[in-house]
Amino acid sequence: MHYHSIPLSIFLLLTLCAINEGFQHKDIDRLITQSGIRKGKFDLKEADDGKLLVTNLDDIFRDVVTLIRKGFLKYSDKKFYHLYHNNWKRGKVQKPSQFEDFPCPLNNTRSERRPTSVHQLRPGDIDVVAAIGDSLTAGNGIYSKTFINMAAEFRGLAFSGGGIANWRTVLTLPNILKVFNPNLYGFSVDNVLVKEKGSNLNIAEPMVMSRDLVYQAQVLIQRLKNDPNVNMQQDWKLLTIFVGSLDLCTDLCQTKHLWDKLRQHEVDLIDALTLLRDNVPRLVVNLLPAPNMVTTLGQIRNVPLQCKFVQTLLCRCVFSAAHNDTSLRIASEYFTRWQAIDEYVAALPAFQTQDFTVLYQPFMANAQLPRLPNGDVDLRFFSSDCFHFSQLGHAAAANALWNNMLQVPGRKDETIREPLQYFECPTAQRPYIATLRNSISGYLN
């Protein structure tokens, strides 16, 4: 391939996108206003400190950035089979399951009658699945070889919101739940941007931070209300929220008010969960903490040069060469406090009602990553940037999330393994998705 062919291909794809779609704003500004965000005049100093969320420049660049993202996605889509085989050769793709049958028995995994309590919810009772998050939930770079593919969103393969294929070849949380309820709805069925048909209720966006939670909750509520496939009053819904990695990777080393950011995260999280509780009946929320980059990605050694560059670019507050042991210790403490806020907020009585619950799922917090015989972290679980997950990594994350959903608080696993190597199943003694209430000893059905 000639080196000039890549930018030329992207240029042609961007031009085609512009002709076919043009620029559309729809209800974005209205949802921003509803989220309590006020547009301001751009000021670099204010924006750098996280005080400006939306400025007058958004009107100019919002559509341009979307157009560029779509160009990267279309380019990667054209190269999909090449990318798949390249990743397969490198061991970054889940091997088809050797099991003929699903690992769990399906008896009594769906209630005879739709339950009225979230604490008596079996896996097959989930009717609708949704996801909020950043590039990890949007599926960035799942099949990647170059930086262009890293910018592409393979949304239908993402661990918490993707539903392409089935559990045997693409293990995701929706593909697991589809076994218990074949009529499950809401997962992404294609590798598309969030505003395109096929994304459904996986509304994750690259670069999303904690400060965007209320806005994302507004978007999800709007989609649920407008979707004819969703019965807002009767359907049981499962939402997975996974944000914070970018807050910790980019805000940590450039704000003058470091610890104030923790309080703001708590406020943003409470506001978003309150909005969801008050507007979405029959909702279960999986809350995943942002990983402690010092103890997780910090485990990785002997990474390729491009990985060092990307990690420094995307998570400069942890991986920059300018940091020393003292700054890393502060960073690790900050991560730990952030995670403690997530766990505290998830357990608030206000978020533990009969038809709404928040479940803190800790497997990402200080995950023990798979190792090679020589002790190095197994990079097959990561994409080409050693930051995002490969398809194998997404399958492993889906498995870990599923296990956490069935494990009682205080005994949840924090180990990432090969997909289907260790798989929890509902039992006659514990048939329900584990909540704070039904995990109490002596809980009655």
Side-chain angles (χ1 to χ4, degrees):
M1 176 184 291
H2 296 294
Y3 289 108
H4 68 267
S5 64
I6 292 179
L8 178 59
S9 299
I10 294 174
F11 174 77
L12 292 174
L13 284 167
L14 290 175
T15 303
L16 182 62
C17 289
I19 293 172
N20 287 342
E21 297 199 7
F23 297 123
Q24 302 176 11
H25 286 276
K26 296 184 178 179
D27 296 326
I28 293 177
D29 287 331
R30 178 176 59 80
L31 290 174
I32 288 173
T33 302
Q34 285 182 355
S35 303
I37 300 170
R38 295 293 177 265
K39 187 182 297 184
K41 186 176 180 181
F42 179 76
D43 180 282
L44 182 60
K45 185 178 180 181
E46 292 279 306
D48 197 44
D49 201 35
K51 295 178 181 177
L52 284 177
L53 301 186
V54 182
T55 75
N56 55 310
L57 295 185
D58 285 80
D59 294 335
I60 301 171
F61 292 112
R62 180 188 297 160
D63 297 310
V64 173
V65 170
T66 299
L67 199 59
I68 292 172
R69 287 167 54 199
K70 185 155 188 178
F72 285 145
L73 181 56
K74 282 188 173 293
Y75 176 82
S76 297
D77 191 50
K78 285 180 62 178
K79 303 289 185 180
F80 182 82
Y81 289 104
H82 170 73
L83 293 172
Y84 175 85
H85 288 296
N86 178 271
N87 278 260
W88 175 268
K89 289 178 181 178
R90 292 187 288 161
K92 294 176 180 283
V93 177
Q94 172 189 350
K95 294 179 181 178
S97 171
Q98 299 300 311
F99 299 109
E100 284 190 20
D101 298 318
F102 188 69
C104 299
L106 302 184
N107 295 337
N108 300 315
T109 53
R110 182 173 171 85
S111 303
E112 292 184 9
R113 294 183 180 180
R114 187 175 265 156
T116 57
S117 171
V118 70
H119 309 291
Q120 296 177 354
L121 206 61
R122 300 169 193 258
D125 296 327
I126 299 296
D127 302 296
V128 177
V129 66
I132 284 176
D134 54 26
S135 57
L136 285 164
T137 305
N140 277 72
I142 287 180
Y143 289 138
S144 68
K145 187 178 180 182
T146 68
F147 79 94
I148 295 174
N149 316 128
M150 290 309 311
E153 297 158 36
F154 298 87
R155 189 175 301 272
L157 305 168
F159 75 98
S160 62
I164 287 178
N166 58 55
W167 65 273
R168 289 184 177 85
T169 55
V170 181
L171 192 70
T172 66
L173 181 60
N175 280 347
I176 295 170
L177 292 171
K178 278 193 285 184
V179 177
F180 299 101
N181 179 8
N183 296 318
L184 184 74
Y185 174 77
F187 48 84
S188 295
V189 296
D190 202 355
N191 298 324
V192 292
L193 300 186
V194 70
K195 72 173 193 172
E196 296 178 299
K197 184 179 179 181
S199 69
N200 292 327
L201 300 174
N202 179 356
I203 62 168
E205 290 269 21
M207 307 304 291
V208 159
M209 297 187 180
S210 172
R211 64 191 71 152
D212 302 306
L213 275 172
V214 173
Y215 172 74
Q216 286 236 301
Q218 293 277 14
V219 173
L220 179 62
I221 292 166
Q222 191 73 22
R223 284 208 176 183
L224 287 168
K225 289 181 176 179
N226 293 340
D227 197 320
N229 297 301
V230 176
N231 184 326
M232 281 291 281
Q233 298 303 317
Q234 295 298 317
D235 287 345
W236 280 104
K237 309 157 196 76
L238 174 68
L239 166 66
T240 300
I241 298 177
F242 182 34
V243 297
S245 298
L246 285 174
D247 295 76
L248 302 173
C249 278
T250 60
D251 279 1
L252 184 61
C253 56
Q254 65 182 38
T255 179
K256 298 177 181 177
H257 311 286
L258 181 61
W259 304 111
D260 289 347
K261 293 287 184 182
L262 291 173
R263 173 56 185 162
Q264 188 58 49
H265 170 57
E266 182 179 339
V267 171
D268 291 334
L269 185 56
I270 290 175
D271 286 350
L273 292 174
T274 300
L275 188 65
L276 290 165
R277 182 200 62 195
D278 294 346
N279 289 276
V280 185
R282 297 192 169 184
L283 179 64
V284 180
V285 178
N286 281 326
L287 181 61
L288 276 56
N292 185 329
M293 298 297 179
V294 178
T295 61
T296 53
L297 290 186
Q299 302 174 34
I300 299 178
R301 298 289 184 271
N302 302 319
V303 298
L305 185 60
Q306 71 267 20
C307 287
K308 291 182 180 179
F309 172 76
V310 173
Q311 288 180 350
T312 303
L313 179 67
L314 295 181
C315 201
R316 60 185 180 276
C317 296
V318 175
F319 294 102
S320 171
H323 299 306
N324 53 33
D325 290 342
T326 300
S327 63
L328 286 178
R329 186 171 62 253
I330 293 173
S332 186
E333 179 186 352
Y334 189 80
F335 281 106
T336 301
R337 291 193 184 188
W338 183 285
Q339 294 163 353
I341 287 171
D342 287 347
E343 187 171 16
Y344 160 74
V345 170
L348 288 174
F351 301 136
Q352 304 298 327
T353 70
Q354 278 298 100
D355 78 337
F356 181 88
T357 189
V358 182
L359 312 176
Y360 177 75
Q361 312 295 15
F363 76 94
M364 284 282 193
N366 295 287
Q368 297 300 307
L369 302 175
R371 301 276 180 165
L372 297 172
N374 66 359
D376 287 349
V377 170
D378 191 343
L379 294 182
R380 294 180 304 130
F381 289 77
F382 290 91
S383 195
S384 297
D385 62 356
C386 306
F387 186 86
H388 294 86
F389 292 133
S390 63
Q391 193 273 316
L392 179 67
H394 273 269
N399 197 152
L401 174 54
W402 166 255
N403 289 346
N404 273 191
M405 287 175 59
L406 296 180
Q407 294 163 339
V408 299
R411 297 207 295 266
K412 292 181 183 283
D413 193 20
E414 293 188 45
T415 302
I416 304 292
R417 302 178 178 86
E418 289 273 352
L420 302 173
Q421 186 180 83
Y422 170 62
F423 200 84
E424 290 277 4
C425 293
T427 65
Q429 294 73 32
R430 294 208 53 82
Y432 307 132
I433 294 170
T435 68
L436 285 171
R437 189 172 299 178
N438 70 25
S439 297
I440 298 173
S441 178
Y443 175 82
L444 299 178
N445 291 354

